[in-house]
Amino acid sequence: MQLKLKNLKFINNKPAIALLILFFLSISISAQDTLIIDETSNIDAQVDSVKIDTVQTQKRFKVDGVIGVVGDYIVLESDIDKTYLELQQQSISIDEISRCELLGKLLEDKLYAHHAIQDSIVVSEAEINSRLDQQIDYMISQLGSEEKVFQYYRKNSMAELRRELFEINKANQLAAMMQEKVYENVEVTPEEVRTFFHNIPKEDLPVFGTELEVAQIVIEPELTAEAKQRVIDELNEHRRDVVENGSSFTTKVVLYSDEPGAASRGGLISLNRNSPFVKEFKDVAFALREGEVSEPFETEFGFHIVYVEKVRGQERDVRHVLKIPRVNEATIQKAREKIDNLREKIVNGELSFAEAARSESDEKETRNNGGQLVNPVTSDTRFELTKMEPSLSAQVYNLKDGEVSPVYVDEDRTGRKRFKILTVTNRFEEHQADFSKDYEKIKELALNEKRIKAIEDWQEAKINETYVNISEDYSHCNFASNWLQK
């Protein structure tokens, strides 16, 4: 099981992100399980179904007792129970996971966070607040109101809930950034890849599932100049009402913005130059002074006006109204006829799929590559069939090589309809790893092994120079790392 826990760090080529998703950053699960279990009676009730293993099972646990200290951080007994519940919520079997192993994992996280602070790693409060907004929006969508949310999590106010969530997210982000720093310069040479592969016994060589290469053509209904002008005129009217008549910008957001979830927070966003927002949005936001409202401007999401509520050094709090132009039925029908015609030409052999994609597809990201999709996880063109995103899998699962799919109705990120057709351009059947055919995958496995070794070496060194104290109740644990400093 120790190996299983270590390998969680390197899922999907995004090690730190995978760790956060698994243990902390699931919007609907992590925040809930971390916060809901803060009364002894509740833990006792919920942990009945959680395995209590070899750690002094004959006596009742001190639920909120400190069982570990790493630098400036503590681990509570209840933290283990919360993690068990998180794993259960994600349908991960806990039958073979002991409390000792989970404690070791929690201690690792605290070690990363502690040394991130020591190394002066700084997390962006704006990014954390943005993530918090997403979490809280999701909670409100599930429970119905802010009041129901903080009551559900047994907090006295939304402000109290936000403070606790903020600290959880901050510690997680520090740990992730520290871990990334440890292995950011780890690389493997071709010779190391070769050695790694040839050291695997033949019977233990990995088996790679069936993979597909997929291309698509996307046709979007034309967004007319009249439709764009309508939302620009509407935004100008809202702006005049705020600037000239003193109307509330927040009220404009709540009543008129097309952004999902905007009403719950009045369109408030905290951002800095490194925040994950499109360039056009940040350029406008940082060109305004405090209290100013922008002219309407366009991004890939639609048209906006932005109000700068507060400037705080390199960060600022802004609110914005988003309006998405709508297409009419005539343009939708025209787009459908166009893709039907394209599909017919491809099927009849008058035009190749790649040629049609390059000349006609409205999807900029794939058009120049003949419609070829890129796997966002691996950054190559292969998609493992069993791990493919469900909606894509459903569209290509039964396609034969070279066959063109029916026309599918899809939606872009703004909710506008679009039409697409797909084809399988290449297929790689399930097979045992082959060095020449699967070099990139084998390289990634070799790199992951080297990263694990780097993490282990770093942990061993840092544990020895960090204040660590483990409760006597866990002194018998056989940790993968030297937490007992024997």
Side-chain angles (χ1 to χ4, degrees):
M1 183 57 216
Q2 291 169 355
L3 178 60
K4 291 181 185 177
L5 288 175
K6 288 177 186 174
N7 286 341
L8 289 176
K9 299 183 182 80
F10 302 102
I11 295 172
N12 291 338
N13 298 330
K14 303 276 186 185
I17 295 174
L19 266 174
L20 294 177
I21 291 174
L22 180 61
F23 284 103
F24 299 106
L25 293 187
S26 170
I27 290 176
S28 63
I29 296 173
S30 175
Q32 174 175 330
D33 290 337
T34 301
L35 295 174
I36 192 171
I37 312 169
D38 52 0
E39 295 180 7
T40 302
S41 60
N42 287 328
I43 288 185
D44 290 341
Q46 296 194 45
V47 177
D48 284 344
S49 62
V50 173
K51 174 171 69 76
I52 306 298
D53 69 356
T54 57
V55 181
Q56 304 207 12
T57 55
Q58 298 304 312
K59 69 179 185 179
R60 185 177 180 82
F61 287 99
K62 181 181 178 183
V63 171
D64 282 330
V66 176
I67 58 173
V69 179
V70 180
D72 297 328
Y73 289 88
I74 65 171
V75 179
L76 301 176
E77 185 80 61
S78 57
D79 290 336
I80 294 180
D81 299 315
K82 295 169 188 175
T83 307
Y84 269 127
L85 291 168
E86 289 166 7
L87 293 173
Q88 283 184 313
Q89 289 278 2
Q90 299 187 40
S91 300
I92 297 173
S93 173
I94 63 172
D95 292 343
E96 297 180 5
I97 305 177
S98 70
R99 298 184 76 83
C100 288
E101 288 166 329
L102 284 191
L103 174 58
K105 175 65 188 65
L106 292 169
L107 293 170
E108 285 183 21
D109 293 338
K110 305 306 182 187
L111 185 70
Y112 294 133
H114 173 75
H115 282 283
I117 294 174
Q118 304 304 308
D119 288 4
S120 301
I121 291 176
V122 178
V123 298
S124 166
E125 291 192 2
E127 289 185 21
I128 295 174
N129 281 321
S130 178
R131 185 180 300 127
L132 272 180
D133 289 339
Q134 294 176 21
Q135 292 174 338
I136 289 171
D137 283 347
Y138 181 86
M139 295 172 190
I140 291 171
S141 72
Q142 295 298 300
L143 297 177
S145 69
E146 288 190 2
E147 185 176 7
K148 288 181 179 179
V149 169
F150 67 74
Q151 289 177 349
Y152 182 75
Y153 294 112
R154 291 171 174 81
K155 302 301 169 187
N156 294 319
S157 65
M158 182 58 75
E160 182 183 352
L161 176 60
R162 282 191 68 95
R163 284 194 298 271
E164 188 163 342
L165 269 177
F166 182 91
E167 293 304 321
I168 291 169
N169 279 280
K170 182 178 180 180
N172 295 339
Q173 185 69 7
L174 283 170
M177 293 172 72
M178 185 69 246
Q179 190 183 54
E180 288 179 344
K181 183 178 179 181
V182 170
Y183 60 70
E184 65 182 351
N185 295 319
V186 175
E187 297 178 347
V188 286
T189 65
E191 186 57 35
E192 286 175 320
V193 178
R194 182 181 299 277
T195 300
F196 168 81
F197 179 77
H198 289 297
N199 283 341
I200 304 174
K202 186 173 182 179
E203 62 273 16
D204 293 334
L205 285 172
V207 173
F208 298 125
T210 300
E211 295 176 307
L212 305 178
E213 289 184 334
V214 179
Q216 71 179 21
I217 295 173
V218 177
I219 301 297
E220 299 175 349
E222 181 185 4
L223 191 58
T224 63
E226 291 80 7
K228 291 182 179 181
Q229 192 59 49
R230 276 196 296 271
V231 298
I232 292 172
D233 292 343
E234 181 182 344
L235 288 173
N236 274 322
E237 184 60 34
H238 294 324
R239 182 181 184 275
R240 279 193 294 272
D241 201 21
V242 171
V243 173
E244 298 176 10
N245 302 326
S247 294
S248 166
F249 194 94
T250 302
T251 299
K252 297 293 185 183
V253 175
V254 172
L255 294 178
Y256 301 109
S257 183
D258 291 334
E259 182 191 11
S264 65
R265 63 180 188 276
L268 182 64
I269 297 172
S270 297
L271 75 162
N272 59 33
R273 284 290 187 183
N274 296 320
S275 297
F277 292 89
V278 292
K279 180 179 183 296
E280 299 91 337
F281 189 92
K282 289 191 289 187
D283 286 348
V284 171
F286 281 90
L288 298 171
R289 293 190 295 268
E290 188 172 306
E292 287 187 328
V293 181
S294 75
E295 301 285 345
F297 64 96
E298 185 177 11
T299 72
E300 62 192 84
F301 297 95
F303 288 83
H304 314 250
I305 52 173
V306 170
Y307 165 65
V308 177
E309 186 167 289
K310 186 72 175 177
V311 174
R312 297 178 284 108
Q314 299 302 309
E315 296 186 355
R316 54 191 58 203
D317 297 333
V318 304
R319 298 183 189 271
H320 77 118
V321 175
L322 168 67
K323 295 301 296 181
I324 301 172
R326 304 301 175 187
V327 295
N328 57 43
E329 285 301 319
T331 58
I332 292 175
Q333 184 60 32
K334 184 177 179 181
R336 177 64 196 242
E337 291 172 357
K338 180 178 180 180
I339 199 165
D340 284 339
N341 184 48
L342 273 177
R343 184 181 185 280
E344 184 177 354
K345 288 183 176 180
I346 296 168
V347 170
N348 291 339
E350 301 174 39
L351 193 63
S352 75
F353 197 98
E355 289 170 340
R358 280 189 283 266
S359 63
E360 303 295 340
S361 181
D362 290 324
E363 188 171 60
K364 297 177 183 178
E365 296 85 354
T366 62
R367 183 170 56 205
N368 293 334
N369 293 324
Q372 198 76 54
L373 295 177
V374 174
N375 190 327
V377 175
T378 62
S379 298
D380 64 18
T381 56
R382 295 187 182 186
F383 293 80
E384 188 169 343
L385 195 54
T386 58
K387 297 179 181 178
M388 193 178 286
E389 197 269 324
S391 63
L392 178 61
S393 175
Q395 293 165 354
V396 302
Y397 189 84
N398 293 318
L399 282 182
K400 299 179 177 64
D401 294 355
E403 182 182 1
V404 181
S405 75
V407 175
Y408 290 102
V409 181
D410 200 0
E411 289 186 354
D412 66 13
R413 65 182 66 190
T414 68
R416 285 196 295 260
K417 283 185 179 180
R418 60 182 192 169
F419 302 98
K420 67 178 180 179
I421 52 177
L422 303 97
T423 190
V424 174
T425 58
N426 210 344
R427 183 184 302 267
F428 305 87
E429 300 295 347
E430 179 177 291
H431 63 281
Q432 195 171 52
D434 178 278
F435 185 76
S436 58
K437 294 179 181 177
D438 303 302
Y439 178 81
E440 290 301 324
K441 289 186 176 63
I442 295 164
K443 177 182 177 182
E444 192 63 31
L445 292 173
L447 178 60
N448 286 346
E449 183 180 69
K450 196 169 181 180
R451 284 173 170 175
I452 290 173
K453 182 63 168 60
I455 288 289
E456 290 174 342
D457 291 345
W458 180 88
Q459 284 183 11
E460 183 177 354
K462 294 302 181 182
I463 287 172
N464 290 331
E465 64 183 58
T466 306
Y467 175 76
V468 176
N469 190 289
I470 308 298
S471 166
E472 290 184 2
D473 288 350
Y474 289 83
S475 61
H476 71 288
C477 288
N478 182 24
F479 294 113
S481 301
N482 187 29
W483 293 110
L484 298 175
Q485 297 182 322
K486 295 179 179 178

